[in-house]
Every structure is written in structure tokens, then in C-alpha cells.
């Protein structure tokens, strides 16, 4: 038995010795990225350039948008603060990034014949992160992007002569219709080809009317189409060197290149930002459930390493990685929300509407009452004053958007899942110490308190574009609002009590007795 364990250990050590380092694997390689202009795509691009300096070229699929061509959008992307370190230390490496005009929703990805030929003969590694992440997206568009877009990319990848790895970004919630999710593909209730045929055949109104029945127990079209894409990939991957990475709720970076970097309002970030402004104070949420949050840079590191692993070992089986924190570094929604409010008061946003405070509740009734009293009533009052003064009312529209955004999250804040991550833990053991440090995706290393503080600072800096010089003034404002907030709370309680005692003789007598007792005790004090 002991000799058998030693032989297995020796084989493992030999395997690790024969593998190149992650950075060396990317030397001389050409990479193609879809979704490169998105939140995760930007972090992936920056990390590849910075941590894998030997990479030859990186092609980004970019569609023209709002009158901007692909090249113009690329230049705008590279001006992001995310690339400050690269611009300072190795600015010429940014020239390795080249745009490929295209559109994930169009046949052949709308890539020109010449660009297709370029990709086919030169690309070694593909990262597919393009997707619509809108939970309330119409099924027809969600299928077009998340399903058909994936199919079109795979068709292109199968023609690539030098392909060594294809990394498909899915979501841990693709199988949220089951409590325990292992690192395997689960067949959906309806096949991907059937759904594709329905969407392509029927008009959009008819597809909308069938959406609820089609998605079944899943909460939205996003998780449904992600599950369909996984199933289709398993059935049609053939000999592609495919790996699937499933992150849970992706938030700001924990370590690099900028702590707390976040550039979008998706998921909890929009709600937290609104709470920091004093605009959002109550949400339906089971505070004792786990908030399965994962930093974006850890997800990106896992993606980069998973491509290295499949490219160097060439496994026959489809490997899936659940990138989550619930098992090895759990945090409850209660602790997450409380920490967010703690640091929103320590590092307040300028020009807040009201003192940042709030609560989460698992009671739909209490949340509904809070929503009317704390969200809609103040919005009506403010908009009325604005309208009377000749301004443009907007608070009701803001609250409408926040209500819809929080509604999309309620399914995930009222439940929890157990995402098995054995493949991720095993992958860590194949890395040498330098790669473990450079491409860290070990969620056990997360310090939640530090992470959430940097997350709040990141929202302040990158979402609201505020620097640290504005903090002293913002803290003075939040201090004044705190006392106004507390005084109004006391006045509200006294008014409520007075209202009750006027209509209830026993309460009125109790109130008088309590006052008499307080006066009597005060007279007994030596200094009175």
C-alpha cells in the first residue's frame, strides 16, 4: 500500500516536472478572445499581457457600436485605468492586441473571409466569454447570443489548424434547478437543438409566450441558455481541446491589477452602489444563506491556467471547473451586507441622498412594506417637490429600475447551492509555487473584510469616478446626515407612541406611570 502511494506520488511529480510553467506555455502563442470588451474580458486581456509577456498576439472580437468601429473601441478600451501598469512598464506590449471586426449574433460571427483565414492559420488558444448576462433578456436574443454564438465560434474553432485550448465561460448557476452541482454537464429538460429550432421558426411574441414553460424551474433565460450551451458543447465538441469554467457571482478584483476594480452595475454592484447613495434600503434576502461571491481576477487566473492544463495534458474527457467560494470560504448575505454598509459609511460617496442604511429580510410582506415606506414614498415626495419647482422628476424612474434589478437577484439571495470544486482544488496541486502566486485562484486565501472594503472603494473610484481627495468632505456630510437620521427616527417613534396612547387608555396610563417613575428616580440622584 505504501509503495503504491509512493509510485503515485512519483508519477505526479514527474508529470509536474514535464509540464511547462503557465507563462512559458503562452510564449509565442496567439490568443483569440470573444467578450474582450466586457468586465471579465478586460481583466483577462490585461492579465495575459502582463503575466505572459511572451504571448505573440491577442485578437479581440469587437463589434461596431454607436458609430465606433472596432479599432476605435479597442483604443478606448486600452485607455482604461486597468491598463495603467502596462502602459507605464511595458507600453509596447499593448501593440500585441489587435481587433477583429465581428458580431457574435451574426452568421460566421460576421468575421470577414480574410480575418477568418488569419484566425484559422494562427490561433492557438481561444477564450469564449461573450454572452448576454441580462437575467431578464428575451429568450430569442439570449439563445442567439449564448447558444448560437457559441455554436458559430465552435464551427470556427474546428477549422483552426493550431488550436491547443478552447475555454468556454459558463456560470455555476447554469444548473440552479438542483441544490448540489457537481463538475459535470447535466442534460436540460429540452434539448438545445429543439430550443434553437423553436426560436428560429417562431416569431418573437410566440417565443415570449412559451418562455416560462421552456425554462422550467430555472429563474431566467440566462441560466437556461447557459445550460443549453453546455449540453450542446458536450454533444458536439468532437476532438476540440475544450474546458468549461463556471464562476458563481463575479465581483471586483481582490489582488490585481487594481484592488477593487469594477466597471459595471451588474449583479449586486448596482444595488450596493444605490444603497451607498442612500437610495436603496430594503431587499428580499435570506440573510443566513451563503453569498457565493468570487473575485474576478481569481476567475481569470483559473481560465488562464485551465487553458494551460488542457493544452499541455490533452485530456480526452471534458473538464469542468466550478469557480465558487461557498464550500471553502463561505460568507453569508448578512455578513456581506453589513460589511458593505460599514465601509460605505467609512468611505462614503459624495453627494449622497440620505444616510446609507438598510436591511435584508426573508419576509415578502415586510420587504413589501419597507419598499413602499422607504423607497416609493420618499420618491413620490421628492419628485413632487422637483415637479413643483419646475425641475425634471427622476426618483420614481430610479426606484423602478432598482426594484426590477433587485427582483432579478431575489432568486439567488433567497437560496443557496453547493458547488463541488474538486477539479479546481486538484488543478491547484499541479502548479509550482511561482505559478500558484502569479495565477492565484485559491479562494481560501480571501480575507472577506479586506475584500469588501476594497470593493466599496472600487465602486467609489471606478463607478462614481471619485478620488480620495473628496473623502474628508464626504465624511463630513455623512456625519451630519447620521444625526439627522437618528433624530428623525426618535421623532418617528415618539409620534407613533403618542398616536397609540391617544387611542388606548392602558397604554396612556403606562406611559404616565413610566414618566412618574423616571422623575422619582431622578430626584433620588445625589446631584439633583
Amino acid at each position: 500500500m505504501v509503495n503504491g502511494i509512493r509510485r503515485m506520488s512519483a508519477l505526479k511529480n514527474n508529470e509536474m516536472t514535464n509540464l511547462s510553467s503557465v507563462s512559458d506555455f503562452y510564449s509565442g502563442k496567439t490568443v483569440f478572445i470573444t467578450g474582450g470588451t466586457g468586465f471579465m474580458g478586460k481583466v483577462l486581456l490585461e492579465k495575459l499581457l502582463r503575466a505572459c509577456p511572451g504571448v505573440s498576439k491577442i485578437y479581440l472580437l469587437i463589434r461596431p457600436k454607436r458609430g465606433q468601429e472596432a479599432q476605435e473601441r479597442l483604443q478606448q478600451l486600452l485607455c482604461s485605468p486597468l491598463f495603467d501598469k502596462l502602459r507605464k512598464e511595458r507600453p509596447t506590449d499593448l501593440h500585441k492586441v489587435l481587433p477583429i471586426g465581428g458580431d457574435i449574433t451574426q452568421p460566421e460571427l460576421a468575421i470577414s473571409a480574410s480575418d477568418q483565414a488569419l484566425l484559422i492559420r494562427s490561433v492557438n488558444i481561444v477564450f469564449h466569454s461573450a454572452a448576454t448576462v441580462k437575467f431578464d433578456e428575451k429568450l430569442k436574443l439570449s439563445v442567439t447570443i449564448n447558444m448560437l454564438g457559441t455554436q458559430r465560434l465552435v464551427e470556427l474553432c474546428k477549422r483552426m489548424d493550431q488550436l491547443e485550448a478552447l475555454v468556454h465561460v459558463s456560470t455555476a448557476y447554469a444548473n440552479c434547478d438542483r441544490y448540489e452541482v457537481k463538475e459535470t454537464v447535466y442534460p436540460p429538460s429540452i434539448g438545445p437543438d429543439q430550443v434553437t429550432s423553436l426560436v428560429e421558426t417562431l416569431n418573437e411574441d410566440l417565443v415570449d409566450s412559451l418562455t416560462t414553460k421552456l425554462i422550467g424551474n430555472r429563474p431566467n433565460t440566462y441560466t437556461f441558455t447557459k445550460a443549453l450551451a453546455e449540453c450542446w458543447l458536450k454533444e458536439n465538441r468532437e476532438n476540440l481541446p475544450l474546458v468549461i469554467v463556471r464562476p458563481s457571482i463575479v465581483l471586483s478584483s481582490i489582488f490585481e491589477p487594481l484592488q477593487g476594480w469594477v466597471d459595471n452595475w451588474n449583479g449586486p454592484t448596482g444595488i450596493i452602489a444605490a444603497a451607498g447613495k442612500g437610495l436603496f434600503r430594503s431587499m428580499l434576502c435570506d440573510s443566513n444563506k451563503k453569498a457565493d461571491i468570487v473575485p474576478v481576477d481569481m476567475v481569470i487566473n483559473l481560465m488562464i491556467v485551465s487553458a494551460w492544463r488542457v493544452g499541455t495534458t490533452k485530456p480526452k474527457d471534458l473538464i469542468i471547473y466550478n469557480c465558487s467560494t461557498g464550500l471553502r470560504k463561505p460568507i453569508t448575505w448578512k455578513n456581506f451586507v453589513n460589511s458593505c454598509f460599514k465601509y460605505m459609511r467609512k468611505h462614503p460617496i459624495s453627494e449622497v441622498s440620505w444616510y446609507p442604511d438598510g436591511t435584508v429580510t426573508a419576509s415578502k410582506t415586510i420587504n413589501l412594506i419597507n419598499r413602499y415606506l422607504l423607497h416609493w414614498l420618499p420618491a413620490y415626495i421628492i419628485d413632487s417637490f422637483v415637479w413643483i419647482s419646475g425641475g425634471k422628476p427622476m426618483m420614481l424612474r430610479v426606484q423602478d429600475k432598482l426594484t426590477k434589478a433587485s427582483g432579478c437577484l431575489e432568486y439567488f439571495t433567497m437560496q443557496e447551492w453547493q458547488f463541488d470544486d474538486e477539479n479546481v482544488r486538484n488543478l491547484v496541486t499541479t502548479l509550482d509555487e511561482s505559478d500558484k502566486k502569479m495565477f492565484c485562484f485559491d479562494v481560501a486565501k480571501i480575507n472577506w473584510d479586506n475584500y469588501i472594503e476594497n470593493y466599496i472603494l472600487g465602486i467609489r473610484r471606478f463607478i462614481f469616478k471619485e478620488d480620495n481627495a473628496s473623502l474628508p468632505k464626504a465624511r463630513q456630510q455623512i456625519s451630519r446626515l447620521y444625526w439627522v437620521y437618528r433624530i428623525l427616527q426618535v421623532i418617528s417613534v415618539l409620534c407613533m407612541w403618542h398616536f397609540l396612547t391617544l387611542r388606548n387608555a392602558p397604554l396612556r396610563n403606562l406611559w404616565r406611570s413610566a414618566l412618574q417613575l423616571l422623575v422619582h428616580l431622578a430626584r433620588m440622584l445625589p446631584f439633583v
Side-chain angles (χ1 to χ4, degrees):
M1 178 70 177
V2 174
N3 289 335
I5 293 174
R6 286 175 178 170
R7 281 195 299 272
M8 288 177 65
S9 178
L11 286 171
K12 182 178 178 180
N13 289 334
N14 288 336
E15 179 189 4
M16 291 179 63
T17 302
N18 292 331
L19 294 179
S20 63
S21 72
V22 175
S23 180
D24 288 343
F25 168 73
Y26 284 89
S27 291
K29 301 293 173 62
T30 296
V31 178
F32 178 48
I33 301 174
T34 71
T37 59
F39 176 48
M40 290 177 58
K42 294 174 188 175
V43 182
L44 171 61
L45 174 61
E46 194 279 339
K47 185 58 181 280
L48 283 172
L49 289 171
R50 182 167 48 82
C52 305
V55 68
S56 177
K57 289 184 180 66
I58 301 179
Y59 292 110
L60 296 188
L61 182 69
I62 303 178
R63 68 182 175 91
K65 185 178 180 182
R66 296 171 187 168
Q68 289 183 315
E69 294 301 318
Q71 181 63 47
E72 189 178 354
R73 290 191 67 196
L74 174 61
Q75 294 308 312
Q76 186 176 4
L77 182 154
L78 295 177
C79 288
S80 165
L82 194 67
F83 298 91
D84 284 349
K85 190 172 183 179
L86 271 168
R87 273 196 299 272
K88 181 179 179 181
E89 298 176 359
R90 303 202 316 266
T92 57
D93 281 10
L94 296 175
H95 300 155
K96 296 178 180 179
V97 186
L98 301 168
I100 296 290
D103 188 339
I104 199 77
T105 67
Q106 299 301 314
E108 297 187 341
L109 306 179
I111 301 175
S112 68
S114 58
D115 282 343
Q116 284 189 45
L118 173 67
L119 297 174
I120 289 167
R121 68 173 179 265
S122 63
V123 168
N124 307 107
I125 301 152
V126 176
F127 292 98
H128 178 44
S129 62
T132 173
V133 296
K134 289 179 63 177
F135 287 169
D136 56 352
E137 190 71 85
K138 287 182 175 292
L139 182 59
K140 196 176 189 73
L141 182 55
S142 190
V143 167
T144 300
I145 298 174
N146 295 347
M147 265 281 294
L148 295 178
T150 299
Q151 294 177 15
R152 290 160 181 158
L153 178 71
V154 166
E155 290 168 5
L156 179 62
C157 288
K158 287 179 178 179
R159 298 161 57 198
M160 291 179 178
D161 301 325
Q162 312 295 327
L163 188 65
E164 298 178 45
L166 166 58
V167 179
H168 172 76
V169 181
S170 185
T171 172
Y173 297 101
N175 301 287
C176 58
D177 55 338
R178 58 181 68 239
Y179 165 72
E180 185 176 359
V181 180
K182 296 188 177 297
E183 293 168 308
T184 187
V185 174
Y186 296 95
S189 56
I190 182 171
D193 291 332
Q194 292 174 281
V195 175
T196 302
S197 297
L198 282 172
V199 167
E200 290 181 328
T201 304
L202 304 177
N203 64 51
E204 189 168 347
D205 290 339
L206 192 52
V207 172
D208 290 344
S209 67
L210 295 172
T211 295
T212 303
K213 290 184 178 180
L214 289 172
I215 66 176
N217 295 328
R218 289 184 174 81
N220 50 53
T221 58
Y222 170 68
T223 57
F224 177 61
T225 53
K226 280 295 190 179
L228 292 176
E230 285 191 6
C231 181
W232 188 91
L233 284 169
K234 182 180 179 181
E235 294 172 353
N236 296 274
R237 72 185 184 100
E238 297 176 4
N239 296 321
L240 281 179
L242 174 68
V243 60
I244 296 176
V245 174
R246 292 175 177 161
S248 51
I249 301 172
V250 183
L251 292 187
S252 65
S253 56
I254 183 171
F255 296 128
E256 56 182 2
L258 299 166
Q259 288 186 329
W261 188 80
V262 59
D263 75 337
N264 65 72
W265 302 80
N266 295 337
T269 299
I271 300 298
I272 297 299
K277 280 283 191 179
L279 299 174
F280 196 83
R281 311 182 77 77
S282 179
M283 182 167 175
L284 189 64
C285 170
D286 189 332
S287 61
N288 295 316
K289 300 294 187 184
K290 296 175 186 175
D292 208 308
I293 293 160
V294 61
V296 62
D297 46 336
M298 286 192 165
V299 180
I300 296 308
N301 288 336
L302 175 59
M303 289 166 57
I304 292 172
V305 172
S306 67
W308 161 81
R309 184 64 180 174
V310 73
T312 52
T313 62
K314 306 186 188 311
K316 293 182 180 180
D317 296 328
L318 173 60
I319 308 297
I320 298 171
Y321 297 103
N322 284 340
C323 187
S324 60
T325 56
L327 286 182
R328 288 190 292 143
K329 197 69 176 183
I331 181 173
T332 62
W333 284 111
K334 178 181 180 180
N335 291 338
F336 175 72
V337 170
N338 288 344
S339 292
C340 284
F341 276 118
K342 170 185 172 183
Y343 289 113
M344 282 189 287
R345 295 161 190 157
K346 182 179 178 181
H347 310 293
I349 302 163
S350 300
E351 299 179 1
V352 298
S353 300
W354 193 235
Y355 183 73
D357 196 13
T359 183
V360 295
T361 175
S363 168
K364 291 184 178 180
T365 302
I366 293 175
N367 184 60
L368 185 62
I369 293 171
N370 286 341
R371 185 180 296 170
Y372 278 107
L373 292 178
L374 303 177
H375 294 169
W376 291 108
L377 180 60
Y380 272 110
I381 293 172
I382 293 171
D383 274 0
S384 297
F385 278 109
V386 171
W387 180 76
I388 291 170
S389 62
K392 185 178 180 180
M394 58 178 293
M395 290 304 300
L396 287 173
R397 289 203 307 273
V398 170
Q399 287 300 334
D400 183 57
K401 289 182 179 180
L402 290 172
T403 298
K404 290 178 180 177
S406 62
C408 289
L409 293 175
E410 288 172 359
Y411 179 89
F412 304 95
T413 57
M414 288 293 289
Q415 303 182 71
E416 67 180 17
W417 292 262
Q418 183 172 312
F419 299 116
D420 175 64
D421 63 350
E422 183 180 358
N423 288 342
V424 176
R425 286 181 280 116
N426 290 339
L427 185 60
V428 173
T429 65
T430 66
L431 298 173
D432 60 31
E433 291 305 315
S434 62
D435 279 340
K436 285 180 183 178
K437 184 177 180 180
M438 177 60 73
F439 301 96
C440 177
F441 53 88
D442 184 358
V443 297
K445 296 184 182 298
I446 298 174
N447 180 314
W448 282 119
D449 195 59
N450 290 343
Y451 175 72
I452 293 172
E453 181 171 16
N454 286 320
Y455 173 51
I456 297 302
L457 284 168
I459 291 175
R460 192 180 192 280
R461 177 182 174 187
F462 303 114
I463 298 291
F464 290 107
K465 312 298 182 186
E466 297 185 15
D467 57 28
N468 290 338
S470 63
L471 271 172
K473 184 178 179 181
R475 285 170 179 154
Q476 289 177 358
Q477 183 191 21
I478 212 75
S479 179
R480 290 193 296 268
L481 284 174
Y482 170 78
W483 289 111
V484 173
Y485 178 54
R486 293 306 182 203
I487 290 169
L488 285 177
Q489 283 183 319
V490 171
I491 292 173
S492 299
V493 170
L494 290 176
C495 289
M496 182 63 70
W497 181 257
H498 180 66
F499 176 79
L500 292 173
T501 55
L502 283 176
R503 289 159 175 75
N504 191 301
L507 280 178
R508 189 163 58 248
N509 294 333
L510 179 63
W511 177 243
R512 288 172 180 170
S513 299
L515 289 176
Q516 291 172 356
L517 178 61
L518 287 173
V519 172
H520 178 69
L521 291 173
R523 287 173 177 171
M524 294 176 63
L525 295 175
F527 53 81
V528 176

